[in-house]
Amino acid sequence: MSLKIGIREMGDITILDVSGRITLGEGAVCLRDTCNDLFAKDCRNLLLNLREVRYIDSAGLCEVCSSLIRASRAGGSGKLLHVAKRVGDLLAITKLSAVFQAFDDETVAVRSFHERLRYSHCPVCAGRCSPPAFEADPWEPQTCTSCASRLILSAGGSGETAPVARLDVRSYETEYWEVRPGPPFVVNAVGRLNMFSSRALENCWKAIPAPRRVLFDLSRVEEVTPPGVTAIGRLLGTRALNDNAVVSLEGLSAPAAQNFRDIVGAYGARADALNALGDVSGAPPWSARIEIYHDRLADRKI
């Protein structure tokens, strides 16, 4: 399928609706020639809509990046819209996802050309989350573009940070660990507690600021397997001296609760677990780093 490009104007923004394959030869040349014509006509703000792009190779990716950079060097900005998974994967592999702004909503993309955006960063991996917020807007639920954790932010903060109201760390498909700020921090397991829980459990622990005061609540667990029990036992056994964590088995069936009989720090009643946790007043506040986006494409060489 040859490359086809539709051109739309929205104020001072030029939107290219690209469909087909952007590859070495005809596809890349077509995109380059179209952009050359636009820049010759003083186009400065370029939005590449890649919804209908079925395939892109390294030469095509290079041409896409070149087009966005040239828009920035012309005194405007270049951005991406409706990036397919393959293109997104290529951008991530080449570390370009941190350079080029990509949007799933055309209205937000168009608005971003004239208003500064704020990006939150994931407490787990520090990756950039999406969707961004405009400076005066409240935060929508955020999804980390690196580890897929889901972040809910509260109003307030210093401008450089925002309070975290909830973090969901996925363990397997629809199963996840739900972390809520304290004191104490409460980590709810949602779904099964099994071999897939181990990495997610470690990520939850890493996301909570030290010194940690944590209650693991298993009341929403549907199934318990030995690897899941081992994961919790390992975490409780290797935590730092200044940290403290307990497990509440309240709500689990008796057979499931029996799996934790050898786990130090596991309690049948939530009240007992909280009592064993002790003083939680030292639990620190929890916030996510906020970044104000500044277009630096003009400095890029390609």
Side-chain angles (χ1 to χ4, degrees), residues 167-188:
L167 174 70
D168 292 345
V169 180
R170 189 171 63 179
S171 54
Y172 183 73
E173 293 184 351
T174 58
E175 300 169 359
Y176 58 94
W177 292 86
E178 175 191 284
V179 187
R180 293 185 179 272
F185 281 77
V186 177
V187 181
N188 292 289

Side-chain angles (χ1 to χ4, degrees), residues 84-295:
K85 184 179 186 303
R86 173 172 171 77
V87 180
D89 290 344
L90 285 172
L91 291 172
I93 291 170
T94 55
K95 307 298 183 183
L96 292 173
S97 56
V99 178
F100 300 110
Q101 283 188 293
F103 299 87
D104 295 321
D105 186 307
E106 183 174 308
T107 301
V108 174
V110 169
R111 187 178 170 188
S112 73
F113 281 89
H114 302 295
E115 297 185 49
R116 289 199 302 175
L117 294 177
R118 296 180 299 164
Y119 286 91
S120 64
H121 285 261
C122 176
V124 174
C125 68
R128 179 184 280 181
C129 296
S130 182
F134 295 100
E135 282 193 285
D137 286 355
W139 289 100
E140 297 180 39
Q142 302 283 293
T143 300
C144 177
T145 55
S146 297
C147 71
S149 294
R150 188 169 184 270
L151 180 65
I152 306 295
L153 298 173
S154 300
S158 65
E160 297 181 352
T161 62
V164 177
R166 171 178 160 183
L167 174 70
D168 292 345
V169 180
R170 189 171 63 179
S171 54
Y172 183 73
E173 293 184 351
T174 58
E175 300 169 359
Y176 58 94
W177 292 86
E178 175 191 284
V179 187
R180 293 185 179 272
F185 281 77
V186 177
V187 181
N188 292 289
V190 181
R192 296 173 296 175
L193 182 61
N194 56 21
M195 61 179 294
F196 297 107
S197 303
S198 181
R199 181 64 182 274
L201 183 61
E202 292 172 4
N203 284 340
C204 289
W205 187 256
K206 182 168 61 175
I208 296 172
R212 300 170 179 86
R213 301 292 184 269
V214 183
L215 170 71
F216 291 98
D217 188 328
L218 305 186
S219 61
R220 295 162 68 182
V221 170
E222 299 170 356
E223 177 186 337
V224 175
T225 66
V229 176
T230 300
I232 285 187
R234 185 186 304 115
L235 188 150
L236 294 179
T238 58
R239 59 184 172 79
L241 290 177
N242 290 332
D243 296 330
N244 197 9
V246 294
V247 180
S248 169
L249 307 177
E250 188 171 302
L252 275 181
S253 66
Q258 272 294 104
N259 289 285
F260 294 87
R261 60 184 178 276
D262 297 324
I263 301 296
V264 176
Y267 297 86
R270 182 185 175 93
D272 292 339
L274 286 170
N275 185 60
L277 194 57
D279 182 16
V280 297
S281 60
W286 196 21
S287 60
R289 183 171 71 86
I290 302 302
E291 167 197 5
I292 303 296
Y293 178 80
H294 298 282
D295 192 343

